[in-house]
Amino acid sequence: MANANLTQAKKAKNDEFYTQLSDIERELSHYKEHFRGKTVLCNCDDPYVSNFFRYFAYNFEHLGLKRLITTCYKSQDMDLFSTNTNEQAIWLEYLGDKNGDRIPSPDEIGIHHFKGDGDFRSAECIELLKQADIVVTNPPFSLFREYVAQLIEYDKKFLIIGSKNAITYKEVFPLIAANKMWVGVQPMGVDMLFDIPKERSEELKSNTEAKGSTYRVIDGVIKARSASIWFTNLDHNKRHEELILYKTYNPDEYPKYDNYNAINVNKVADIPCDYDGVMGVPITFLDKYNPEQFEIVGCTESEGKGFSNGIFNSQSSVTQPLVGGGKCYKRIFIRVASAGVRILP
């Protein structure tokens, strides 16, 4: 049990990433029309340090919000969350500016105490979830599958941050394929930087070999680097941009996989304009995915049995896509939607 507790503590510390205000502002600027008259819940945030709470509180009137709720998990082990100095888990409620200065002041923010620990899975937090229209937060990466499942169960709109690897989770990919969830506006090729607790910062700093890959130093401050992206079911304009295709199919440039009934496309920009069959493309395709233009058929079997919808040759002993015996990285399988595509003149 002691080892299990240590593992949980380690996960909790690694999950304690604080999203930078600049990243929140950059992404949220594309969804303004979704928030008018809505109740927003940030249910994985320390209200006192959360930039999500700060963003929505200071933009409450600008967005036309109805209500803002922010909850925080309160660990029984005080070492898990260094910023937590409260003896009880709390949740904050903000209903907008009352004194006319357009600044959220302490006397305008309602402070409520949980009976429990404030875990997003608790009955108390679920009651707040039921009251919310849109959930916006950075949930613990180690609980991402469970977190998304809860949002779907309660049929909530959401805008959340998760690992890029979550795209191919067996609990997540079917939602993407069914157009119940998609990536946000921020390009998938841009890694996000996060603020972290001081002790975690010192751990990273001591590992000089990890500099650049695990962390970066910005103006003398350690920022954790993470291959993270936004996931949402709120519509945005980028999702309907048409990908202009200019290359034509030829079997030499687009070989078939040895073990998948699809052709290989190494770059999204190289998707052929005249091929009607199934194509294997990098996961970064989701950056350009327009559901009116393409259909997602499946993904590689190594990330969940059955995801390729029969494209995988079950006689193959290797689930990764093979081209001439060489392994390819993870692939999403697509084909042109019935509406077709426009070819660059």
Side-chain angles (χ1 to χ4, degrees):
M1 181 60 72
N3 287 337
N5 289 337
L6 287 173
T7 300
Q8 291 173 0
K10 184 176 184 295
K11 283 184 178 180
K13 288 183 178 180
N14 289 338
D15 278 342
E16 199 174 356
F17 281 17
Y18 302 118
T19 311
Q20 296 186 107
L21 183 61
S22 58
D23 284 324
I24 296 172
E25 291 174 334
R26 190 177 300 114
E27 184 71 23
L28 268 290
S29 65
H30 299 277
Y31 304 88
K32 182 181 176 182
E33 71 277 8
H34 292 287
F35 288 96
R36 184 160 300 279
K38 298 298 194 300
T39 294
V40 172
L41 171 65
C42 308
N43 60 350
C44 292
D45 299 77
D46 183 335
Y48 294 119
V49 298
S50 169
N51 280 323
F52 284 102
F53 181 80
R54 180 180 178 186
Y55 174 84
F56 284 114
Y58 276 88
N59 289 280
F60 194 94
E61 281 73 27
H62 175 68
L63 293 171
L65 294 181
K66 176 183 178 181
R67 185 183 180 202
L68 172 61
I69 306 170
T70 308
T71 71
C72 176
Y73 175 76
K74 170 68 173 114
S75 172
Q76 299 304 311
D77 182 348
M78 291 298 290
D79 291 334
L80 287 181
F81 290 86
S82 59
T83 58
N84 193 337
T85 57
N86 304 299
E87 294 183 359
Q88 278 186 288
I90 63 170
W91 59 278
L92 303 187
E93 181 180 34
Y94 184 60
L95 300 176
D97 180 48
K98 298 294 188 295
N99 58 18
D101 63 0
R102 295 275 178 156
I103 297 176
S105 56
D107 60 335
E108 294 173 332
I109 300 173
I111 301 176
H112 308 273
H113 291 88
F114 283 121
K115 294 179 180 178
D117 59 11
D119 189 305
F120 70 85
R121 297 163 292 187
S122 69
E124 290 178 298
C125 285
I126 289 174
E127 282 305 309
L128 292 177
L129 176 64
K130 291 177 180 178
Q131 298 171 34
D133 298 301
I134 307 174
V135 180
V136 185
T137 192
N138 179 4
F141 283 10
S142 62
L143 298 174
F144 191 79
R145 295 172 172 86
E146 197 169 349
Y147 186 82
V148 170
Q150 185 187 80
L151 294 176
I152 298 301
E153 178 183 355
Y154 288 94
D155 193 25
K156 294 300 173 181
K157 295 296 184 181
F158 58 86
L159 181 60
I160 59 177
I161 294 173
S163 167
K164 290 178 186 176
N165 291 330
I167 288 171
T168 52
Y169 290 172
K170 67 181 188 302
E171 299 88 354
V172 174
F173 180 76
L175 299 174
I176 294 175
N179 285 309
K180 295 181 178 179
M181 177 177 178
W182 44 87
V183 299
V185 176
Q186 179 171 286
M188 291 178 64
V190 178
D191 289 339
M192 298 177 69
L193 300 179
F194 296 86
D195 295 320
I196 51 177
K198 184 177 180 180
E199 64 270 22
R200 178 75 175 130
S201 176
E202 293 301 319
E203 288 178 17
L204 291 176
K205 191 176 181 180
S206 64
N207 185 1
T208 56
E209 293 182 358
K211 186 176 181 181
S213 60
T214 304
Y215 72 90
R216 292 178 186 166
V217 182
I218 308 296
D219 296 329
V221 179
I222 299 289
K223 303 282 187 179
R225 175 179 177 269
S226 173
S228 304
I229 56 175
W230 294 86
F231 290 94
T232 187
N233 58 358
L234 297 173
D235 204 14
H236 53 76
N237 290 335
K238 182 182 176 183
R239 189 166 175 259
H240 301 283
E241 292 176 356
E242 185 179 15
L243 179 62
I244 305 301
L245 308 178
Y246 66 95
K247 299 199 69 170
T248 56
Y249 169 75
N250 72 76
D252 293 329
E253 188 173 358
Y254 301 99
K256 264 201 168 183
Y257 296 112
D258 305 345
N259 53 347
Y260 284 82
N261 187 22
I263 63 169
N264 181 57
V265 181
N266 284 320
K267 297 180 180 179
V268 175
D270 291 342
I271 295 174
C273 63
D274 57 347
Y275 189 78
D276 294 330
V278 179
M279 301 171 276
V281 295
I283 62 174
T284 51
F285 163 79
L286 292 180
D287 245 357
K288 305 293 184 182
Y289 174 48
N290 177 340
E292 290 103 34
Q293 187 177 16
F294 295 101
E295 174 191 356
I296 294 177
V297 177
C299 73
T300 48
E301 294 285 307
S302 59
E303 303 304 329
K305 296 300 182 182
F307 279 8
S308 76
N309 290 321
I311 299 167
F312 174 60
N313 179 358
S314 60
Q315 301 303 310
S316 172
S317 60
V318 180
T319 54
Q320 286 178 273
L322 301 174
V323 174
K327 295 180 180 179
C328 299
Y329 193 60
K330 299 173 183 176
R331 288 291 190 265
I332 291 176
F333 298 112
I334 66 168
R335 64 179 158 220
V336 175
S338 57
V341 296
R342 181 162 64 88
I343 303 172
L344 186 69

